[in-house]
Every structure is written in structure tokens, then in C-alpha cells.
Amino acid sequence: MKIVKLLYLKFILSFSICLIVSFVIFFIFSLLGNLNEGYLFSIILNLSFLNSLQILTYVPAFIFLSSIILLTIFLRSKNEIIIIKSYLSIKKMMIFFLPIAFIFTLFEVNKKEIALSIEDSKGHIMQNNDKPMAKIIIEENNKTKIITFLKNIDLKDISNAEYRLFSIANNKIELAEYSDNIIFSKNNLIINNYTEYKNDLIKNYNKEKVININIIDLFLNSSIVKYISKTENIKFDIQLINLLIFFMLFLNFIFLNFFNKKFVNTKQSLIAPIFSSIIILFYYFIIFNNSLNFYRQELEILASMILGIFLFKVIINE
């Protein structure tokens, strides 16, 4: 019990250090980037703080990997890892690690929702600054993605507003529209003339067109980006279950890879487990964050199977 408690304390310490260091680095770069935005310094600090949190939500796997590396270094520095490996079997170590893996997996699965909630807070701060905002609406289904971009939107003065629309299918732009002549009438945005790209042709139209957007609902939502998903629920569930499986396998592989009996000796270099974990981390980012429309689900399932083989090999070697 004391050994398990020691492991939890060491992991919390390692995780805290990695989290704080990463946050400070992201905050500094975000602060430097926001200094040219023309906001008040207090607003820049708040935006930089939220930007740093938002970046952290996108990289939980990197934070976890850094924490495990630091945890291993701490335990090896006082030869505590030898005692742990002597008294804890691989089953007990996996039981110890299960709550940590479960928390990180839940965070990974819900990171988009967390990032959007932070984006809402950023939008609220920018609206309070009375600066014209951009609004982005992303409507996605299984075949197409429609991106509507509204720039300098201010219902009190819409003279500088711009409208852009992109319809994307099979990673190609099928339709694009642009207009800087926008009026607001009867709760609708209307463009008086616009330029359209379609079938590799560009045409100018001098006629009115109503933008199919609920503008009141859009402005009641302080978020800059609004997602509208119309994908099939069955497909989404399969992807979600596979992501849960892959990330649990991924976290367990990293943990057991660093606590392998080969690296108990403090003279043994950690380059091998660090390198292999980074390779799989990049593999994860490529497979689960690409825009492929063909065989994407098959590639994700294959990734889980490959990682399962790697994890099985680590367990067998123990």
C-alpha cells in the first residue's frame, strides 16, 4: 500500500511540474502573439491565459508522456524503481495505473468540447471589448463540409462586414462565395452582389441573396466557431469506441514501456522508450487527426490492432 501511495504521489508531482512548465511556455508565446492585437493589457492577459489552457486541452497525450518520463527519472534517481519492480507484479502495476489511464482517456475523448467551452469564454471577453468579431460556422455531414466565415460582423455597423462560404467534398472546394456588400434586414443577412466559384468557373452576380443563417442565435452564442454536425450516429459511436480503445492501449504501452525490467538499471539509457513513445504519439496524431474521407475508419481500427500487438509484446517480455 505504501508503494502504491508513493507511486501516486510521484506521478502527481511529475504531472504537476510538466503541466505548469507547459502552461508557462504556452502562455509566454500566446502573450507575445496577442501584444499586436490592440487590446487592453488586462484583456491580453486573460486571452493569453485562456489560449494556454486551450492548447493544453489539445495535447493531453504529450503531457502524459512528459509526466511518465519525469516520473521514471525521479524513481531511478533514488533507485526506488528497483523496490517497486521487486514488490509489485505487472498486474498490480496495471491496476495502479488504471485510474490514471481512465482519467486521461476521458479528457482526450472530450477535449473538443472543453476547447469549445474555452473558446466561448474567449469570445465573451472579445465581445466585452466592443471589437467587431469574426464568426465561423462549420456544418459537416458524412460527405461534405460547409464553412461560412463572417468577418467584422457588427449589427450596429455592418458596412465593413465580409462574407465567405466554402463547400468542400473529397478534400476539394466545390463551391465558394464572397461578398463585401452585406445588409441586415428583418433578422436576416442579405448580400446584394457576390462572386461565386463553381465548376472551375468564377462568376459575378448582381442580385440579392439571403444567407441561410440564424443570425440572432449566432450572436447569442459568444463562441467564434460554431459546429453543426450531421454525421451518422452509428459511425460516430464506432469511432468513439475505437478512440477509447486506442488511447487506453496507448497510455498502458507508454507506462509499461518505461517500467520495463530492462530500464530498472539506472545506467540504462531511456532513449529507446522515449523514441518509441514519440513515434507512436506522432502515429496517433496522424491517424486520428487527418482529413481523409476514404478508409479512415479502417485505418483507425488497424492502428488500435497494431498498438494492441505492441502492448502484448511488452507484457510478454515482462
Side-chain angles (χ1 to χ4, degrees):
M1 187 65 183
K2 290 183 179 181
I3 296 177
V4 174
K5 184 179 179 180
L6 173 67
L7 274 174
Y8 277 122
L9 290 175
K10 291 286 185 177
F11 178 81
I12 292 173
L13 176 61
S14 304
F15 172 71
S16 301
I17 293 174
C18 293
L19 189 65
I20 293 172
V21 171
S22 300
F23 178 84
V24 170
I25 294 173
F26 295 149
F27 180 81
I28 292 173
F29 280 100
S30 180
L31 184 63
L32 294 174
N34 288 327
L35 286 175
N36 296 323
E37 294 297 327
Y39 296 120
L40 295 174
F41 188 68
S42 59
I43 294 176
I44 290 176
L45 288 177
N46 289 332
L47 286 177
S48 300
F49 178 82
L50 292 175
N51 282 336
S52 303
L53 287 180
Q54 194 171 33
I55 296 173
L56 286 175
T57 62
Y58 288 119
V59 291
F62 172 77
I63 300 297
F64 174 81
L65 175 58
S66 304
S67 302
I68 292 297
I69 294 174
L70 192 58
L71 172 65
T72 308
I73 293 173
F74 283 158
L75 295 178
R76 280 160 53 101
S77 64
K78 296 181 180 180
N79 291 322
E80 293 170 325
I81 193 170
I82 298 176
I83 300 173
I84 292 171
K85 292 289 293 182
S86 300
Y87 285 92
L88 291 183
S89 64
I90 188 170
K91 291 183 179 179
K92 291 182 179 179
M93 291 183 67
M94 292 185 70
I95 292 173
F96 145 78
F97 181 70
L98 189 61
I100 298 174
F102 182 73
I103 293 172
F104 272 88
T105 302
L106 286 180
F107 194 86
E108 173 69 22
V109 170
N110 295 287
K111 66 181 183 181
K112 181 179 288 188
E113 287 74 17
I114 298 172
L116 286 176
S117 65
I118 296 175
E119 190 69 32
D120 289 341
S121 300
K122 289 166 56 179
H124 182 68
I125 292 174
M126 295 173 68
Q127 280 185 334
N128 289 342
N129 194 48
D130 295 328
K131 186 174 182 177
M133 287 183 57
K135 290 286 186 177
I136 302 173
I137 304 168
I138 301 176
E139 186 175 347
E140 189 173 7
N141 55 41
N142 293 322
K143 296 182 179 180
T144 62
K145 178 187 290 186
I146 299 175
I147 302 174
T148 305
F149 179 73
L150 301 171
K151 184 180 179 182
N152 297 328
I153 289 295
D154 186 353
L155 297 183
K156 297 178 182 178
D157 181 13
I158 205 168
S159 58
N160 296 319
E162 295 181 8
Y163 159 80
R164 293 179 177 87
L165 180 139
F166 303 94
S167 179
I168 303 171
N170 297 322
N171 294 326
K172 294 183 179 180
I173 298 178
E174 292 188 337
L175 174 68
E177 294 177 348
Y178 170 79
S179 176
D180 58 359
N181 191 347
I182 306 174
I183 62 174
F184 179 66
S185 176
K186 297 180 181 179
N187 296 331
N188 290 318
L189 287 179
I190 301 173
I191 50 178
N192 289 321
N193 52 66
Y194 61 97
T195 302
E196 181 183 85
Y197 166 83
K198 187 177 183 180
N199 297 327
D200 296 328
L201 297 175
I202 299 176
K203 295 182 179 180
N204 293 319
Y205 292 93
N206 292 315
K207 62 180 181 180
E208 289 188 353
K209 180 179 179 179
V210 178
I211 302 175
N212 188 22
I213 295 174
N214 189 334
I215 193 66
I216 301 300
D217 178 65
L218 184 65
F219 275 86
L220 287 176
N221 187 351
S222 60
S223 175
I224 295 176
V225 181
K226 181 178 181 180
Y227 289 92
I228 302 174
S229 178
K230 296 181 180 180
T231 55
E232 296 178 4
N233 291 329
I234 295 176
K235 184 177 180 180
F236 173 77
D237 289 339
I238 293 174
Q239 291 178 337
L240 177 62
I241 293 172
N242 186 60
L243 178 60
L244 286 169
I245 294 172
F246 180 91
F247 208 72
M248 286 292 291
L249 293 173
F250 173 66
L251 297 181
N252 278 280
F253 171 78
I254 291 178
F255 176 73
L256 294 179
N257 199 22
F258 278 92
F259 278 77
N260 191 285
K261 59 185 178 181
K262 296 180 182 179
F263 307 109
V264 171
N265 187 353
T266 55
K267 295 181 180 180
Q268 183 70 32
S269 174
L270 293 175
I271 293 178
I274 291 175
F275 181 76
S276 61
S277 298
I278 291 176
I279 291 296
I280 294 180
L281 180 61
F282 277 111
Y283 179 67
Y284 159 70
F285 284 137
I286 292 172
I287 295 298
F288 287 89
N289 296 279
N290 63 71
S291 57
L292 293 175
N293 291 321
F294 56 93
Y295 300 119
R296 176 173 180 173
Q297 186 171 305
E298 288 79 1
L299 288 173
E300 292 177 354
I301 295 174
L302 181 62
S304 297
M305 294 174 62
I306 293 173
L307 192 56
I309 294 172
F310 285 157
L311 179 60
F312 181 73
K313 181 180 178 182
V314 172
I315 294 174
I316 291 298
N317 289 336
E318 280 291 299

